[in-house]
Amino acid sequence: MRQQIVAGNWKMNNDLSQTESLISELKNIKKTSNAEVMVAPTFTNLLTAVKALKTVDIEVIAQNMHFAENGAYTGEISAAMLKSVGINTVILGHSERRAYFNETDDMLAKKVDAALANNMRVIFCFGEELADRKSGNHEHIVESQIKNALFHLDASAFKNIVLAYEPVWAIGTGETASPEQAQDMHAFIRKTLSNKYGNALANSVSILYGGSVKPNNAQEIFSKPDVDGGLIGGAALNATDFFAIVNAF
Ligand code: PGA
């Protein structure tokens, strides 16, 4: 049975006191599913979040990191820095990083390597834009994003990789992929993994869906056989909505 995961990506939202309030609300809600729960506050609030969530079953994760160990990279954060404040999982390749900060497949391959070298787990994001979907090129795009950033890895590395399929046209737009579109793509992703690494590995990797997941659509999306959870943006900023999604399993 693959691990079910619901991760909240808070993006560039919530200052320190807002982070503390949201965390105390999250701590008051009961989890009724077996899904692993994660939240990704912004860098400045990671340590506070780690301390505040120590006693509960919610992992604090980072939204990004740099690939270098250290050095002259003004404004950047390394894997070791994240580890030193208790972060063991990082989101890499989010479409906003690709679109606004010019993150390329090559750069992401280096980031994945750096995270794994530091014994971190990676939630690796990818997904097609609307034009790719309309032209029927979506599978090709997704396949190349996965191959270019991950297929240099040994099979053993995949125990620390979670995949997150996030069609760009569904992020923050209120538009979701239909449960069938999500399932079709997740099955395609698993086939892509299987072709390279074999069935057992492909069947062991959790694949999350992201893009306008809300309390009212989570259950149907999560009911699909190849959808192992969600990466949640907007709805993760509200504790009740977030846990409604977590408990949709
Ligand atoms: P959204 O964001 O849920 O607000 O669409 C998802 C994401 O960017 O991970």
Side-chain angles (χ1 to χ4, degrees), residues 55-121:
T55 53
V56 291
D57 212 6
I58 300 179
E59 183 183 352
V60 181
I61 69 174
Q63 298 176 16
N64 178 36
M65 57 167 243
H66 196 265
F67 52 77
E69 271 176 48
N70 60 273
Y73 299 98
T74 301
E76 292 292 333
I77 308 273
S78 71
M81 291 168 184
L82 293 175
K83 294 278 289 193
S84 75
V85 295
I87 303 299
N88 296 302
T89 301
V90 61
I91 299 171
L92 293 176
H94 191 280
S95 69
E96 288 148 20
R97 300 292 320 167
R98 294 175 189 259
Y100 307 141
F101 304 99
N102 304 318
E103 294 198 2
T104 61
D105 290 347
D106 283 354
M107 202 186 285
L108 290 168
K110 289 195 210 169
K111 289 189 177 203
V112 168
D113 289 346
L116 297 176
N118 283 276
N119 296 316
M120 294 181 76
R121 187 158 56 149

Side-chain angles (χ1 to χ4, degrees), residues 9 11 94 96 166 170-173 210-214 231-235:
N9 174 10
K11 308 191 178 182
H94 191 280
E96 288 148 20
E166 299 203 300
I171 296 178
T173 58
S212 299
V213 178
K214 307 287 177 202
L231 182 55
I232 319 300

Side-chain angles (χ1 to χ4, degrees), residues 23-230:
I23 285 174
S24 58
E25 285 171 35
L26 290 171
K27 287 169 82 169
N28 280 329
I29 305 179
K30 194 169 156 44
K31 188 175 90 162
T32 57
S33 75
N34 290 324
E36 205 177 324
V37 182
M38 306 173 183
V39 293
T42 194
F43 287 130
T44 52
N45 299 329
L46 288 175
L47 182 57
T48 299
V50 165
K51 287 180 178 164
L53 288 168
K54 213 172 226 147
T55 53
V56 291
D57 212 6
I58 300 179
E59 183 183 352
V60 181
I61 69 174
Q63 298 176 16
N64 178 36
M65 57 167 243
H66 196 265
F67 52 77
E69 271 176 48
N70 60 273
Y73 299 98
T74 301
E76 292 292 333
I77 308 273
S78 71
M81 291 168 184
L82 293 175
K83 294 278 289 193
S84 75
V85 295
I87 303 299
N88 296 302
T89 301
V90 61
I91 299 171
L92 293 176
H94 191 280
S95 69
E96 288 148 20
R97 300 292 320 167
R98 294 175 189 259
Y100 307 141
F101 304 99
N102 304 318
E103 294 198 2
T104 61
D105 290 347
D106 283 354
M107 202 186 285
L108 290 168
K110 289 195 210 169
K111 289 189 177 203
V112 168
D113 289 346
L116 297 176
N118 283 276
N119 296 316
M120 294 181 76
R121 187 158 56 149
V122 172
I123 299 182
F124 182 72
C125 307
F126 52 87
E128 83 283 1
E129 301 195 18
L130 187 57
D132 306 317
R133 171 67 62 173
K134 284 192 167 152
S135 66
N137 208 24
H138 46 292
E139 288 187 346
H140 174 72
I141 294 288
V142 160
E143 186 178 14
S144 67
Q145 288 172 325
I146 294 173
K147 282 186 173 169
N148 292 343
L150 300 179
F151 275 14
H152 63 288
L153 297 172
D154 288 342
S156 63
F158 279 81
K159 64 179 187 303
N160 288 319
I161 304 267
V162 172
L163 299 180
Y165 168 58
E166 299 203 300
V168 177
W169 48 273
I171 296 178
T173 58
E175 178 135 0
T176 37
S178 69
E180 291 69 32
Q181 284 174 320
Q183 167 56 26
D184 287 352
M185 184 59 93
H186 284 222
F188 172 77
I189 294 162
R190 225 176 276 293
K191 192 176 84 188
T192 303
L193 281 179
S194 173
N195 289 342
K196 167 84 176 168
Y197 294 102
N199 248 330
L201 182 142
N203 284 325
S204 72
V205 175
S206 298
I207 308 177
L208 315 185
Y209 169 79
S212 299
V213 178
K214 307 287 177 202
N216 64 5
N217 59 23
Q219 195 159 22
E220 205 186 345
I221 296 170
F222 294 169
S223 71
K224 295 296 175 192
D226 285 297
V227 178
D228 305 309

